[in-house]
């Protein structure tokens, strides 16, 4: 399936976006559109570079922690704006449970609701799979987004490099109820 962007270019969209309504987000000031899609193997160098820029460059989290080993069954998503990678997210299995992490949005695009857009699209896809709930350790900005999607705090915040993270859980049922899915 393809979608025509406002500039006349055609972007190919993964099947999970076909029935989720609008798959682009337009910033009224910049007239720029975002799409979210699953990351391909050819995207992974850029995906890991962006996660390193955000996590290592801004939060002092070692670059080695960005990589998710194959035995954890990682799935990655990309958010692109005008063909440029501007956001990432991943899910992976750990301890018999699905976890979400490596959520990034390029610094210049923060505060424009792009993180909400990214997470909504990723979670739409995740919950169409055989996933009933997902665990996260979220920074404050992400906690705010996730509670809007129905996530619950599952523990006390704790220090993690430059800041705190809060353990959270989001169920498919809560997500669908809070997003009219």
């Amino acid at each position: 399936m393809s979608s025509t962007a406002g500039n006349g270019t055609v972007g190919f969209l993964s099947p999970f976006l076909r029935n989720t309504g609008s798959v682009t987000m337009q910033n009224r000031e910049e007239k720029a559109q975002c799409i979210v899609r699953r990351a391909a193997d050819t995207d992974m160098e850029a995906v890991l570079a962006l996660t390193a820029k955000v996590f290592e460059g801004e939060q002092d989290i070692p670059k080695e922690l960005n990589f998710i080993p194959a035995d954890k069954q990682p799935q990655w998503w990309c958010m692109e704006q005008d063909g440029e990678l501007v956001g990432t997210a991943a899910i992976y299995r750990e301890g018999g449970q699905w976890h979400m992490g490596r959520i990034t949005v390029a610094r210049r695009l923060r505060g424009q609701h792009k993180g909400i857009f990214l997470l909504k699209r990723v979670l739409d896809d995740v919950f169409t799979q055989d996933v009933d709930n997902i665990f996260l350790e979220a920074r404050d900005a992400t906690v705010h987004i996730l509670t809007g999607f129905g996530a619950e705090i599952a523990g006390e915040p704790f220090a993690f490099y430059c800041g705190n993270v809060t353990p959270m859980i989001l169920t498919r049922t809560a997500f669908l109820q809070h997003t009219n899915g």
Side-chain angles (χ1 to χ4, degrees), residues 80-145:
E80 295 177 334
Q81 178 174 294
D82 296 330
E84 177 189 358
L85 178 66
V86 295
T88 65
I91 67 167
Y92 56 94
R93 290 197 55 84
E94 188 171 81
Q97 300 173 328
W98 283 104
H99 292 259
M100 180 181 234
R102 313 315 191 271
I103 302 163
T104 66
V105 173
R107 181 177 283 228
R108 73 181 189 286
L109 299 176
R110 294 179 196 157
Q112 300 177 28
H113 306 286
K114 306 272 177 149
I116 295 169
F117 180 76
L118 170 65
L119 287 173
K120 170 74 167 72
R121 294 294 178 250
V122 170
L123 291 165
D124 280 340
D125 187 20
V126 166
F127 287 127
T128 64
Q129 301 177 43
D130 190 23
V131 175
D132 292 321
N133 53 55
I134 195 152
F135 296 87
L136 303 96
E137 292 172 347
R139 298 280 187 197
D140 291 342
T142 309
V143 168
H144 177 73
I145 294 169

Side-chain angles (χ1 to χ4, degrees), residues 6-48:
N7 61 8
T9 61
V10 175
F12 290 92
L13 306 175
S14 63
F16 75 91
L17 292 173
R18 289 182 183 162
N19 296 316
T20 59
S22 175
V23 295
T24 60
M25 175 184 186
Q26 189 169 356
N27 179 323
R28 292 180 187 177
E29 296 163 2
E30 297 179 9
K31 301 291 184 202
Q33 295 186 354
C34 286
I35 64 165
V36 174
R37 63 176 177 79
R38 289 234 191 153
D41 289 344
T42 55
D43 297 316
M44 290 311 300
E45 184 176 338
V47 165
L48 292 174

Side-chain angles (χ1 to χ4, degrees), residues 143-154:
V143 168
H144 177 73
I145 294 169
L146 292 168
T147 55
F149 290 157
E152 295 182 7
I153 294 175

